[in-house]
């Protein structure tokens, strides 16, 4: 590896160094949840190591968005990494060792500060040379203006300009014509990958992979059903891992299906034996946006201070549809649906606000929600414009609604203390204490 | 708007762009005509013209508050949709019979969600506008336009066929050619029209029936072609960005001694720099191709940045531009990221660039003047 390449994987190496000892410790002392946490860490580390290996050996690999069907990439046997997720690298999902300096660095970009902080961080990592340059790049033009604007700016960087790009274009509607159109985009994506990496798609292999991820999704949905129980079985950490497990490299891996089985069994046991992770549950929250970097601080405070659990969240609530694997056509159509209708943020932000209204209505009822928390990430301009509809639907349902107005990545915008204070005052005023 | 141009034709444009419900629209309605309203320049006006409707691009001209729309949109939303929706709630767009929207941006697409719930327009629909400009996207958009035509036939009982579309394409192409002639005049060392005045002319093209507009514009061209040019400015500027429909903004800039000579704006040159193909036997396909792929694209078109940059660069060369201003409405991410890439390119091209955030309603004039002054001084140094 030359110095530039070495620098591009430095954050990934840091993350490996950070998590390897945690993994070893968990393997030695698994405690109550170790059997569920170990596979997640293994998955993460394996993915990171493979990225480094690709750079080292000059093997083809992709940068991609989480919504581009991972099944296709697995079936084509091409490694990928989610370049926007790199902001987590070396900092941990809690926002750790580098996040403060990174946030300060983005203030110097010639990019308006009202643009989404995640995306500004992404551009900074690119400029700072902290992203391994892939063989080809799969972008996405949704769910928000920021995402497509960011990808367009990203492609323009002098080092990345030579990287071939394909961005599927999700339609705004959900009807069959839209599914057909997006399935076509998926097929064009396959052609693009073949052209630039020399890999080909074996339909039999794709069918196997999809059948395996179908099992994972089915179990995840069952798990979400179990979360309806009161008390709800798990705290916020396990549910947050579901998306990661299904959406990282290695789709089609039976180990991942086994993880879901284990997770479901653990949840069922906790309900049956009445041993929830969070004891003394009094309030059930619906967190309707992605979780901020500092989510752990807020969620555990809600648990301890208010006996509150996140009974459902936006990332978990993606009512995935299983893919019909009976023909090539049905597989592509199914993957298209999964990609442009079901994924987190895509499901809520792409398309009309009916999605927001329907989600809140169904979740408040099905999960017996006491309070809807609408974090209102400053990057989410469409959500800002939907907040009044969300408030109205909550009013109609008779459930308290609080709009926080935070920055999911930058705690300087609204500090954790301010968030806690706002929540305390609201919950107190609602007589929920 | 105050202007040095002595021309009845220009006065007509000046009046037209200073209101939303213009005299033209009032007359049209008075004769029983229907109006099709829209926000985004991706709306093929040709379809409305062929359907015998008046296409009017809705601006929030004259709005002085967001007191009603604040209950629906947030302070994190762009002030254009906030003012526009406020006007809708006040009934100022009640003259619109059909409202056609697109998923143009995160803010406007949510205006649709509120519009369908709050405003009683006889026909309101959102259509899906791609963000790429390849063959599949052109076909997709053709399907959307086909649906729009079917809806207009059904809702308004209008005749809308290929012959009518072909005729409308010719009419609107004539508008485009005339506007390009107007821009040609601006290449002169002493152009006969300022940037602010020119914006009044182009904005009016989105508020008048094409045939009527073309007649007035021909008259204006005659008036200008023989007239003396403006004094040589301190600098010749290009202005680029998205939604800018208020000539007074450009006037404030020009009052500092420069001249806006060219633009890449959504109410400016991007409306007419290319023609729709008149020879395509399928006019709807020609329209889909034009609005998705052929016209100079807006920043929301993902794959087209290089073409946009080339377009701006050509303008700089052809209009002998000294420097540029990138204007952006606060909270617009589409133009936020575009600004980032453009700023990098301008550095590479060694062309001075000033990036200005603004609100939809003209304000913070002192700051605008100071920044433009400082920019001109840096350029002179
Ligand atoms: S966090 Fe929201 S605004 Fe930021 S990229 Fe994701 S969808 Fe877009
Ligand atoms: S300026 Fe930007 S945010 Fe505002 S309406 Fe236009 S595209 Fe949308």
């Amino acid at each position: 590896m030359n110095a530039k390449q070495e620098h591009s994987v430095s954050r990934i190496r840091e993350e490996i160094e950070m998590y390897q000892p945690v993994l070893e410790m968990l393997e030695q002392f698994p405690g109550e949840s170790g059997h569920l946490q170990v596979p997640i860490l293994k998955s993460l580390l394996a993915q990171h190591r493979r990225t480094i290996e690709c750079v080292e050996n000059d093997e083809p690999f992709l940068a991609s968005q989480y919504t581009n069907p991972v099944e296709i990439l697995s079936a084509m046997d091409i490694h990928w990494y989610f370049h926007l997720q790199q902001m987590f690298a070396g900092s941990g999902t809690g926002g750790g060792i580098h996040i403060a300096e990174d946030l300060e660095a983005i203030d110097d970009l010639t990019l308006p500060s009202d643009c989404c902080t995640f995306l500004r961080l992404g551009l900074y990592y690119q400029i700072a040379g902290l992203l391994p340059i892939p063989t080809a790049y799969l972008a996405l033009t949704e769910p928000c203006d920021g995402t497509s604007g960011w990808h367009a700016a990203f492609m323009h960087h002098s080092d990345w300009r030579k990287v071939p790009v394909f961005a599927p274009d999700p339609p705004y509607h959900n009807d069959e014509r839209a599914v057909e159109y997006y399935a076509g985009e998926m097929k064009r994506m396959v052609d693009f990958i073949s052209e630039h990496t020399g890999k080909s798609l074996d339909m039999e292999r794709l069918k196997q992979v999809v059948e395996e991820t179908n099992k994972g999704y089915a179990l995840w949905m069952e798990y979400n059903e179990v979360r309806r129980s009161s008390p709800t079985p798990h705290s916020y950490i396990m549910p947050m891992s579901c998306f990661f497990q299904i959406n990282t490299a290695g789709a089609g891996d039976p180990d991942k299906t086994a993880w879901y089985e284990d997770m479901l069994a653990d949840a069922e046991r906790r309900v049956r034996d009445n041993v929830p992770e969070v004891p003394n549950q009094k309030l059930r929250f619906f967190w309707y946006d992605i979780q901020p970097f500092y989510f752990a601080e807020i969620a555990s405070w809600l648990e301890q201070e208010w006996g509150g659990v996140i009974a459902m969240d936006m990332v978990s609530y993606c009512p995935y549809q299983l893919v019909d694997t009976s023909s090539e056509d049905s597989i592509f159509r199914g993957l298209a649906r999964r990609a442009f209708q079901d994924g987190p943020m895509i499901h809520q932000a792409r398309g009309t606000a009916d999605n927001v209204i329907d989600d809140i209505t169904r979740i408040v009822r099905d999960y017996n929600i006491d309070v809807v928390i609408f974090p209102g990430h400053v990057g989410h301009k469409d959500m800002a414009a939907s907040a009044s509809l969300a408030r109205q639907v909550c009013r109609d349902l008779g459930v308290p609604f609080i709009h926080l107005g935070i920055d999911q990545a930058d705690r300087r915008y609204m500090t954790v203390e301010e968030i806690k204070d706002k929540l305390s005052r609201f919950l107190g005023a609602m007589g929920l204490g | 708007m105050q202007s040095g141009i002595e021309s009845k034709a220009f006065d007509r444009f000046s009046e037209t762009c200073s209101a939303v419900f213009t005299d033209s629209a009032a007359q049209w309605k008075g004769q029983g005509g229907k109006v099709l309203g829209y926000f985004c320049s991706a709306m093929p006006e040709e379809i409305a013209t062929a359907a015998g409707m008046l296409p009017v691009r809705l601006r929030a001209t004259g709005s002085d508050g967001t007191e009603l729309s604040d209950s629906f949109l947030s302070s994190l939303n762009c002030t254009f949709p906030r003012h526009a929706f406020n006007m809708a709630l006040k009934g100022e767009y009640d003259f619109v019979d059909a409202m056609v929207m697109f998923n143009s941006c995160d803010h406007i697409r949510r205006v649709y969600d509120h519009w369908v719930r709050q405003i009683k327009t006889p026909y309101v629909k959102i259509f899906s506008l791609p963000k790429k400009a390849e063959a599949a996207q052109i076909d997709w958009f053709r399907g959307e336009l086909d649906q729009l035509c079917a809806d207009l036939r059904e809702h308004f009982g209008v005749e809308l066929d290929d012959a009518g579309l072909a005729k409308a394409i010719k009419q609107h192409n004539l508008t485009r050619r005339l506007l390009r002639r107007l821009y040609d005049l601006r290449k002169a060392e002493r152009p006969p029209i300022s940037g602010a005045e020119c914006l009044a002319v182009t904005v009016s093209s989105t508020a008048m029936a094409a045939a009527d507009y073309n007649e007035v514009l021909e008259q204006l061209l005659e008036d200008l072609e023989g007239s003396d040019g403006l004094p040589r400015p301190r600098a010749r500027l290009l202005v680029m960005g998205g939604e800018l429909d208020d000539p007074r903004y450009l006037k404030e800039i020009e009052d500092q001694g420069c001249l806006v000579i060219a633009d890449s704006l959504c109410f400016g040159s991007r409306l007419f720099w290319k023609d729709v193909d008149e020879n395509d036997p399928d006019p709807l396909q020609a329209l889909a191709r034009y609005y998705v792929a052929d016209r100079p694209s807006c920043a929301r078109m993902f794959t087209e940045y290089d073409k946009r940059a080339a377009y701006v660069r050509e303008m700089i060369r052809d209009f002998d531009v000294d420097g540029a201003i990138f204007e952006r409405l606060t909270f617009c991410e589409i133009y936020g990221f575009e600004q980032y890439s453009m700023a990098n390119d301008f550095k590479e091209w060694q062309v001075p660039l000033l990036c200005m955030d603004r609100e939809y309603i003209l304000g913070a004039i002192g700051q605008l003047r100071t920044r433009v002054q400082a920019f001109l001084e840096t350029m002179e140094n």
Side-chain angles (χ1 to χ4, degrees):
Chain A
M1 262 199 248
N2 60 34
K4 200 168 175 176
Q5 284 173 320
E6 190 50 65
H7 180 61
S8 77
V9 298
S10 56
R11 290 276 177 105
I12 303 179
R13 284 203 201 280
E14 274 180 26
E15 189 147 291
I16 294 174
E17 272 163 34
M18 187 160 77
Y19 283 121
Q20 183 60 38
V22 180
L23 173 65
E24 283 160 19
M25 202 183 69
L26 271 175
E27 278 176 329
Q28 248 189 315
F29 308 105
E32 234 196 332
S33 304
H35 62 110
L36 293 173
Q37 287 160 350
V38 163
I40 298 167
L41 282 180
K42 277 190 170 164
S43 225
L44 176 80
L45 294 175
Q47 192 194 5
H48 279 0
R49 290 202 170 99
R50 183 76 190 113
T51 304
I52 295 175
E53 212 172 84
C54 287
V55 179
E56 244 160 15
N57 305 334
D58 213 10
E59 284 181 62
F61 71 105
L62 305 174
S64 178
Q65 275 277 131
Y66 67 94
T67 41
N68 295 322
V70 60
E71 288 87 348
I72 291 178
L73 309 183
S74 284
M76 293 183 84
D77 191 26
I78 178 88
H79 179 68
W80 68 286
Y81 82 105
F82 177 22
H83 46 310
L84 196 47
Q85 193 195 328
Q86 281 303 95
M87 65 187 64
F88 299 107
S91 68
T93 45
I97 54 176
H98 291 296
I99 195 68
E101 64 192 80
D102 293 348
L103 286 168
E104 265 172 37
I106 64 171
D107 292 342
D108 297 335
L109 297 179
T110 49
L111 195 58
S113 59
D114 54 65
C115 290
C116 175
T117 320
F118 287 123
L119 301 172
R120 289 193 296 140
L121 277 169
L123 277 186
Y124 162 68
Y125 294 132
Q126 184 187 43
I127 295 167
L130 288 166
L131 302 175
I133 300 177
T135 319
Y137 165 39
L138 304 177
L140 187 73
T141 61
E142 289 288 351
C144 60
D145 296 341
T147 297
S148 56
W150 177 76
H151 280 300
F154 204 85
M155 284 158 56
H156 194 58
H157 183 276
S158 53
D159 283 344
W160 286 67
R161 229 175 271 182
K162 53 186 180 297
V163 180
V165 183
F166 182 86
D169 174 54
Y172 204 61
H173 311 315
N174 289 324
D175 56 14
E176 283 308 304
R177 186 174 149 253
V179 174
E180 186 66 37
Y181 167 69
Y182 206 59
E185 287 289 270
M186 297 296 97
K187 288 178 186 162
R188 287 183 279 280
M189 188 172 95
V190 170
D191 294 342
F192 168 86
I193 299 170
S194 293
E195 187 188 334
H196 296 286
T197 66
K199 303 269 185 178
S200 56
L201 179 65
D202 171 355
M203 276 313 294
E204 245 338 280
R205 174 75 186 123
L206 180 60
K207 186 171 182 243
Q208 278 169 9
V209 173
V210 172
E211 276 164 2
E212 202 61 45
T213 50
N214 267 351
K215 285 186 211 159
Y217 279 115
L219 288 161
W220 185 8
M221 287 190 278
E222 252 188 82
Y223 171 64
N224 277 344
E225 289 297 304
V226 179
R227 287 180 72 188
R228 288 161 73 162
S229 313
S230 194
T232 201
H234 287 138
S235 143
Y236 61 96
I237 299 170
M238 280 304 131
M240 274 176 77
S241 310
C242 290
F243 179 69
F244 173 77
Q245 272 297 67
I246 212 139
N247 203 268
T248 43
D253 176 357
D255 281 356
K256 299 240 169 128
T257 311
W259 181 84
Y260 278 99
E261 275 164 1
D262 204 8
M263 169 89 143
L264 179 60
D266 189 79
E268 282 170 342
R269 177 187 60 83
R270 286 178 181 283
V271 169
R272 201 177 43 242
D273 301 347
N274 196 20
V275 281
E277 268 187 341
V278 181
N280 306 319
Q281 294 180 21
K282 292 194 207 85
L283 295 174
R284 295 169 65 84
F285 296 114
F286 173 29
W287 184 275
Y288 197 52
D289 208 324
I290 48 175
Q291 294 91 340
F293 281 1
Y294 44 84
F295 189 55
E297 289 170 57
I298 296 169
S300 37
W301 171 79
L302 281 171
E303 289 174 358
Q304 284 151 23
E305 202 74 20
W306 294 91
V309 279
I310 308 292
M312 189 37 78
D313 58 271
M314 187 174 106
V315 176
S316 299
Y317 189 79
C318 293
Y320 285 103
Q321 305 157 70
L322 299 187
V323 173
D324 169 3
T325 55
S326 58
S327 68
E328 179 171 335
D329 192 51
S330 72
I331 292 177
F332 273 102
R333 291 173 75 93
L335 288 175
R337 259 197 209 94
R338 196 175 268 173
F340 89 96
Q341 295 179 350
D342 296 349
M345 283 206 276
I346 295 279
H347 169 71
Q348 293 85 4
R350 182 206 60 90
T352 63
D354 294 339
N355 294 340
V356 173
I357 294 168
D358 293 350
D359 276 6
I360 293 178
T361 307
R362 199 162 311 130
I363 290 169
V364 165
R365 287 193 183 130
D366 289 358
Y367 288 82
N368 205 10
I369 295 294
D370 296 307
V371 178
V372 173
I373 303 179
F374 195 85
H377 167 44
V378 287
H380 286 168
K381 309 299 192 295
D382 70 292
M383 280 295 200
S386 312
S388 59
L389 292 165
R391 179 176 288 112
Q392 185 57 47
V393 70
C394 287
R395 201 172 287 151
D396 296 344
L397 292 163
V399 62
F401 169 91
I402 176 164
H403 182 174
L404 294 175
I406 63 175
D407 185 313
Q408 311 270 51
D410 192 349
R411 56 170 83 211
R412 295 172 304 179
Y413 186 82
M414 186 186 272
T415 65
V416 171
E417 282 318 307
E418 283 167 334
I419 296 171
K420 287 180 185 172
D421 188 49
K422 199 166 177 179
L423 281 166
S424 291
R425 277 187 284 118
F426 176 77
L427 297 173
M430 286 288 146
L432 294 167
Chain B
M1 189 187 67
Q2 266 190 333
S3 158
I5 298 180
E6 282 185 25
S7 156
K8 285 215 166 61
F10 180 77
D11 294 345
R12 173 92 189 272
F13 292 142
S14 188
E15 266 170 43
T16 302
C17 98
S18 61
V20 182
F21 188 48
T22 59
D23 287 349
S24 306
Q27 244 177 34
W28 186 276
K29 292 288 284 186
Q31 289 159 7
K34 301 277 185 223
V35 170
L36 182 147
Y38 64 97
F39 285 128
C40 177
S41 65
M43 167 65 210
E45 291 182 302
E46 290 85 348
I47 291 179
T49 302
M53 301 173 86
L54 175 67
V56 173
R57 183 163 172 190
L58 298 181
R59 293 168 269 125
T61 310
S63 171
D64 55 8
T66 56
E67 66 287 356
L68 298 179
S69 63
D70 285 347
S71 314
F72 301 95
L73 299 166
S74 119
S75 55
L76 287 181
N77 290 123
C78 165
T79 44
F80 168 60
R82 289 172 63 195
H83 279 281
F85 193 56
N86 203 65
M87 288 182 79
L89 289 164
K90 281 164 82 177
E92 293 186 43
Y93 296 151
D94 283 357
F95 64 95
V96 170
D97 301 283
M99 186 63 197
V100 177
M101 297 206 199
F102 296 96
N103 52 324
S104 319
C105 73
D106 290 345
H107 312 252
I108 286 288
R109 65 194 177 93
R110 285 291 172 256
V111 168
Y112 163 80
D113 291 297
H114 293 298
W115 193 296
V116 283
R117 288 170 173 82
Q118 306 297 333
I119 315 284
K120 302 268 165 285
T121 308
Y123 170 90
V124 191
K125 197 153 172 177
I126 188 160
F127 289 89
S128 172
L129 178 66
K131 286 188 177 174
K132 286 199 303 186
E134 290 159 18
Q137 283 67 51
I138 296 170
D139 289 348
W140 165 265
F141 197 56
R142 191 203 180 283
E144 292 294 281
L145 298 184
D146 211 14
Q147 183 60 52
L148 171 61
C149 291
D151 286 358
L152 294 179
R153 284 186 206 107
E154 194 190 316
H155 281 261
F156 298 101
V158 294
E159 270 186 40
L160 185 48
D161 54 20
D162 281 0
L165 283 169
K167 189 173 161 220
I169 288 173
K170 285 205 167 98
Q171 263 177 335
H172 286 270
N173 272 348
L174 176 59
T175 306
R176 295 182 178 105
R177 280 198 299 277
L178 293 171
L179 283 170
R180 289 200 294 270
R181 224 170 96 194
L182 176 70
Y183 269 49
D184 271 344
L185 299 177
R186 303 173 76 190
K187 289 179 180 161
E189 217 175 292
R190 293 181 53 198
I193 185 166
S194 71
E197 289 157 349
C198 205
L199 186 61
V201 177
T202 54
V203 166
S204 301
S205 75
T206 65
M208 292 167 67
D212 184 18
Y213 181 81
N214 289 346
E215 234 173 76
V216 185
L217 181 53
E218 295 214 46
Q219 187 54 58
L220 174 69
L221 284 166
E222 263 176 43
D223 296 344
L224 290 178
E225 272 158 354
S227 73
D228 291 340
L230 296 163
R232 276 177 73 106
R234 275 173 80 182
R236 295 165 69 89
L237 298 186
L238 173 138
V239 172
M240 61 183 150
E243 168 84 33
L244 172 63
D245 58 33
D246 188 349
R248 291 174 309 163
Y249 179 78
L250 295 189
K251 185 158 188 324
E252 286 300 334
I253 292 173
E254 293 182 312
D255 281 352
Q256 309 315 308
C258 55
L259 208 52
V260 173
I261 222 85
D263 69 78
S264 170
L265 292 171
C266 190
F267 270 98
S269 71
R270 296 207 301 265
L271 284 173
F272 54 81
W273 216 246
K274 295 266 173 64
D275 285 349
V276 180
D277 182 0
E278 294 179 8
N279 301 317
D280 194 319
D282 178 354
L284 223 42
Q285 183 75 14
L287 288 172
R289 194 179 323 107
Y290 174 81
Y291 282 94
V292 168
D294 288 351
R295 69 189 179 124
S297 70
C298 134
R300 80 182 281 291
M301 297 306 282
F302 171 77
T303 41
E304 305 300 285
Y305 178 81
D306 287 345
K307 282 194 211 154
R308 285 196 292 278
Y311 178 66
V312 167
R313 212 164 177 198
E314 255 169 51
M315 285 251 168
I316 291 174
R317 189 193 59 212
D318 296 350
F319 287 79
D320 196 14
V321 164
D322 302 310
I325 294 182
F326 194 112
E327 61 80 26
R328 180 189 83 113
L329 284 171
T330 314
F331 301 122
C332 176
E333 304 225 6
I334 291 180
Y335 280 93
F337 285 95
E338 184 82 350
Q339 178 190 301
Y340 170 83
S341 299
M342 283 285 175
N344 286 336
D345 277 350
F346 269 74
K347 225 179 267 163
E348 212 175 294
W349 305 338
Q350 297 185 330
V351 177
L353 175 72
L354 172 67
C355 294
M356 297 280 299
D357 272 10
R358 65 180 185 93
E359 301 299 327
Y360 178 74
I361 298 298
L362 186 63
I365 290 174
Q367 198 197 14
L368 171 64
R369 288 179 187 152
T370 316
R371 291 203 56 198
V372 174
Q373 272 295 345
F375 180 58
L376 293 175
E377 277 160 28
T378 342
M379 278 169 55
E380 282 158 351
N381 292 337

